[in-house]
Amino acid sequence: MAAVTIVGAGVIGVSWARLFGAAGWEVRISDPRPDLKDVADQHLAGQPVTLSADLAAAVDGADFVQEAGPERIEIKEQMFGTLAAHTRDDVVLASSSSSLLPSAIARGNPAADRIVIGHPFNPPELMPLVEVVPGPQASPRTVDRAVEVYRELNKVPIRLKKEIPGFVGNRLQKVFDDQCAYLVQQGVIDVADLDDLVRASLGLRWATIGPFQSGTLGGGPAGMRHLVTHVASQMTFEIGKPDPARMDEVLDAVESTYGTGETAYEQLVDLRDGRTRAALEPLGWRQPPAVDPPQE
Ligand SMILES: NC(=O)c1ccc[n+]([C@@H]2O[C@H](COP(=O)([O-])OP(=O)(O)OC[C@H]3O[C@@H](n4cnc5c(N)ncnc54)[C@H](O)[C@@H]3O)[C@@H](O)[C@H]2O)c1
């Protein structure tokens, strides 16, 4: 049985662990957090996993590494130094980083050719996409193997042609999220209405066709060229930017709309996961392998 070491048992790490485990991998998790066993009991109950605070021991003999530790370049550099020293030279070292450049994570690392970004969307066990982002030092074999592993997990790996901060998904998300915050700060719309507006329009559209396909259709039979010259050319307004000093106003509004804490979090996770599972197959994506529900 192939063995994967997941580095970090936070939001992303436990989801990767469920995904790899359900696909038949031997799963090891390394995290220095003192409540690691509690986290595994709560989120991975019923799934055989090996837990260790010692990263070097956890990767010994691993066939693939999926790092999901803190989003801090100095911590990633240190973790990947340990990973390089304690893995075979055919083992891919994939980082879940949301925006850090693979070349920065691999800087000065003797295993730079084996380091690649495998950036999931949350939760990795359900969202099809994994962005595979090579730095200039990553070998073609590393990128091919990462793509192969994610395909085996029923993911949709999309290989970027070159690195860029934030990759593609989070660059798009940043533009969008900034505008959402700006509109709330400006008093144009409240948080719940904005979420409903997006779900009832762009979200539904983008779940079925991409923005360029949509542009093609928006122009009618004349295609996107017509839409750009006819409609988009009139959208000359400035879109503005949120004021960073007033982000608390937005965060207060989000928290009073959706709550905070374990119970509110679990309720929202159930809502999201239920809807996502229901939509995957009708939209043409493959269901992830079945995962046993956590035991009480
Ligand atoms: N949260 C998201 O929506 C999301 C989505 C995609 C990718 N990511 C990326 O995934 C990674 C993890 O994000 P997260 O949201 O799960 O973070 P998180 O804060 O929930 O979890 C990080 C975990 O790393 C552990 N950790 C700290 N030092 C460590 C070390 N030296 N070795 C091993 N583990 C260590 C922490 O104890 C914690 O459990 C980040 O790089 C993030 O950018 C996050």
Side-chain angles (χ1 to χ4, degrees), residues 258-275:
Y258 297 119
T260 52
E262 273 306 314
T263 309
Y265 175 70
E266 294 299 338
Q267 282 172 353
L268 215 45
V269 165
D270 286 349
L271 177 79
R272 176 199 63 194
D273 289 359
R275 287 178 176 172

Side-chain angles (χ1 to χ4, degrees), residues 177-194:
D177 287 354
D178 277 356
Q179 187 60 204
C180 293
Y182 176 78
L183 291 167
V184 170
Q185 281 184 348
Q186 292 296 309
V188 174
I189 192 166
D190 68 25
V191 163
D193 276 351
L194 186 135

Side-chain angles (χ1 to χ4, degrees), residues 7-13 30-33 55 67-71 75-76 79 96-99 119-122:
V7 184
V11 173
I12 297 301
S30 181
D31 193 314
R33 62 193 293 173
L55 183 54
E67 177 273 323
E71 186 76 335
I75 299 178
K76 300 262 195 225
M79 287 190 299
S96 304
S97 175
S98 301
S99 65
H119 170 238
F121 263 53
N122 185 35

Side-chain angles (χ1 to χ4, degrees), residues 158-174:
I158 293 193
R159 188 190 298 230
L160 302 198
K161 292 195 252 183
K162 59 179 182 179
E163 66 175 14
I164 185 167
F167 322 131
V168 172
N170 276 331
R171 291 180 81 89
L172 299 174
Q173 185 158 239
K174 179 170 166 34

